[in-house]
Amino acid sequence: DQQVKQNSPSLSVQEGRISILNCDYTNSMFDYFLWYKKYPAEGPTFLISISSIKDKNEDGRFTVFLNKSAKHLSLHIVPSQPGDSAVYFCAAIYPGGSEKLVFGKGTKLTVNP
Amino acid sequence: DVKVTQSSRYLVKRTGEKVFLECVQDMDHENMFWYRQDPGLGLRLIYFSYDVKMKEKGDIPEGYSVSREKKERFSLILESASTNQTSMYLCASTRPGAAHEQYFGPGTRLTVT
């Protein structure tokens, strides 16, 4: 059973517009969420995170929103740039002090010039 | 600058061969992880280790084993490679209590023919 879901395998946006990547989760015990970015032939790199005690975290062009009641989070990229084209993974930390992450399947973002 | 290195970027092996994938980190991290990434399936945890000689199964350990003889090195072993183990393998490390700060290596693209 998939606990972290990214239902859109791909997203295409124009340069300068907003990119919104969505993620849903099923386990209400998750209390920390992360977004990773992955370019082809490279390992994922950490992008931004949010604790369940917050509903928003912002870092430059990247903002993550968390709606706990809906078990939904989203990553907003404004303005989108061609260099943002990558696969974005949503992840949650296993509850109970585990060191493990559970990842979604990823969304491939393409930003067109 | 933190660094996780993997012994090979690309590897081609035959069915039935024993395969070793090596991962080394220079951050003195206790925790190390092995994932595989497949299109449409995201990152799935194979094994992780929270200390030397300690290991724990992840979500998909079947067909794999691991070895952690030194803190900086975590090896993934395919005892008898099969074609369904063709994948991108990613190693990661983090310090205890910092699951949100996993650092990934560049990955090894393994093809089993």
Side-chain angles (χ1 to χ4, degrees):
Chain A
D1 184 30
Q2 197 183 4
Q3 298 187 72
V4 176
K5 302 179 184 180
Q6 293 177 259
N7 292 320
S8 297
S10 62
L11 175 67
S12 184
V13 300
Q14 285 299 120
E15 181 178 6
R17 308 293 281 266
I18 184 171
S19 297
I20 300 176
L21 296 95
N22 293 303
C23 179
D24 297 292
Y25 61 97
T26 58
N27 190 336
S28 58
M29 298 297 290
F30 288 146
D31 58 7
Y32 205 93
F33 303 90
L34 307 92
W35 285 93
Y36 277 82
K37 175 180 179 178
K38 186 182 184 299
Y39 293 117
E42 292 184 16
T45 54
F46 170 74
L47 189 59
I48 192 169
S49 63
I50 189 166
S51 164
S52 61
I53 62 173
K54 295 186 175 182
D55 55 18
K56 177 182 174 181
N57 189 25
E58 196 171 350
D59 183 2
R61 295 185 297 114
F62 303 91
T63 303
V64 56
F65 295 92
L66 175 62
N67 183 334
K68 283 186 66 178
S69 60
K71 295 193 182 70
H72 177 82
L73 61 156
S74 60
L75 174 68
H76 293 213
I77 306 173
V78 184
S80 301
Q81 299 173 354
D84 296 329
S85 297
V87 177
Y88 289 79
F89 291 100
C90 174
I93 296 180
Y94 271 91
S98 168
E99 306 286 4
K100 300 188 293 183
L101 298 178
V102 56
F103 285 85
K105 294 183 178 182
T107 297
K108 183 177 181 180
L109 173 65
T110 302
V111 181
N112 301 302
Chain B
D1 195 19
V2 297
K3 200 149 188 182
V4 179
T5 57
Q6 295 183 229
S7 52
S8 304
R9 295 300 300 270
Y10 300 94
L11 209 52
V12 180
K13 295 292 181 180
R14 293 189 181 276
T15 301
E17 278 194 80
K18 190 169 186 175
V19 181
F20 293 85
L21 303 182
E22 305 285 340
C23 174
V24 178
Q25 50 94 4
D26 65 359
M27 297 162 282
D28 203 34
H29 284 166
E30 281 81 0
N31 299 331
M32 296 187 75
F33 306 81
W34 274 107
Y35 297 88
R36 61 178 284 177
Q37 182 200 358
D38 300 288
L41 296 176
L43 276 72
R44 294 179 292 165
L45 181 64
I46 304 171
Y47 266 97
F48 74 101
S49 168
Y50 47 90
D51 203 348
V52 174
K53 297 190 185 296
M54 306 298 280
K55 61 185 179 185
E56 191 166 319
K57 293 180 181 179
D59 299 317
I60 50 164
E62 296 79 17
Y64 303 94
S65 62
V66 289
S67 172
R68 182 107 182 260
E69 297 296 320
K70 292 185 178 181
K71 190 176 186 180
E72 67 271 19
R73 187 180 298 269
F74 191 34
S75 303
L76 180 69
I77 303 155
L78 287 67
E79 297 289 343
S80 177
S82 63
T83 54
N84 62 14
Q85 292 178 309
T86 292
S87 186
M88 168 69 85
Y89 289 88
L90 293 157
C91 175
S93 75
T94 189
R95 55 186 172 82
H100 58 290
E101 293 178 358
Q102 286 196 20
Y103 294 93
F104 282 84
T108 296
R109 170 70 65 185
L110 172 67
T111 302
V112 182
T113 61

